[in-house]
Amino acid sequence: MSYEITDSVPGLTDAQVTDLVEEAEAGYELTARTSELNPHFHRVQLVPEDLLDAIDERAAKDGQSPDAVVREALSNYLDTA
């Protein structure tokens, strides 16, 4: 893979790029920012709510992750269908 170094950014003027570079190089004070929860960091519910506890219990019993338990159960079902 090769990369091309360019002196321009489509959609931005040279002055805008210069301003953005100066802003970035000056640095940002991140300690003053309030933290926000990642909206994507949650358990995706692909199975009914009433099965979640059973999946977690089986995972703990078998020393697997919950998704491995679901994957195995689905694979076993599809093999016998």
Side-chain angles (χ1 to χ4, degrees):
M1 179 181 296
S2 64
Y3 297 96
E4 180 182 338
I5 296 176
T6 181
D7 291 330
S8 64
V9 178
L12 295 176
T13 66
D14 289 343
Q16 289 172 313
V17 171
T18 301
D19 291 344
L20 291 170
V21 167
E22 289 173 2
E23 179 184 342
E25 288 178 346
Y28 298 101
E29 179 55 50
L30 300 179
T31 57
R33 288 187 46 94
T34 58
S35 63
E36 300 172 11
L37 293 176
N38 183 338
H40 305 287
F41 188 70
H42 58 83
R43 187 175 192 170
V44 176
Q45 187 171 334
L46 300 175
V47 296
E49 184 80 30
D50 60 325
L51 294 178
L52 293 177
D53 288 337
I55 292 169
D56 287 339
E57 289 171 14
R58 182 62 184 255
K61 178 183 170 190
D62 293 349
Q64 296 180 322
S65 65
D67 54 321
V69 170
V70 172
R71 200 175 290 115
E72 183 179 340
L74 183 56
S75 179
N76 290 341
Y77 171 76
L78 293 173
D79 288 343
T80 60

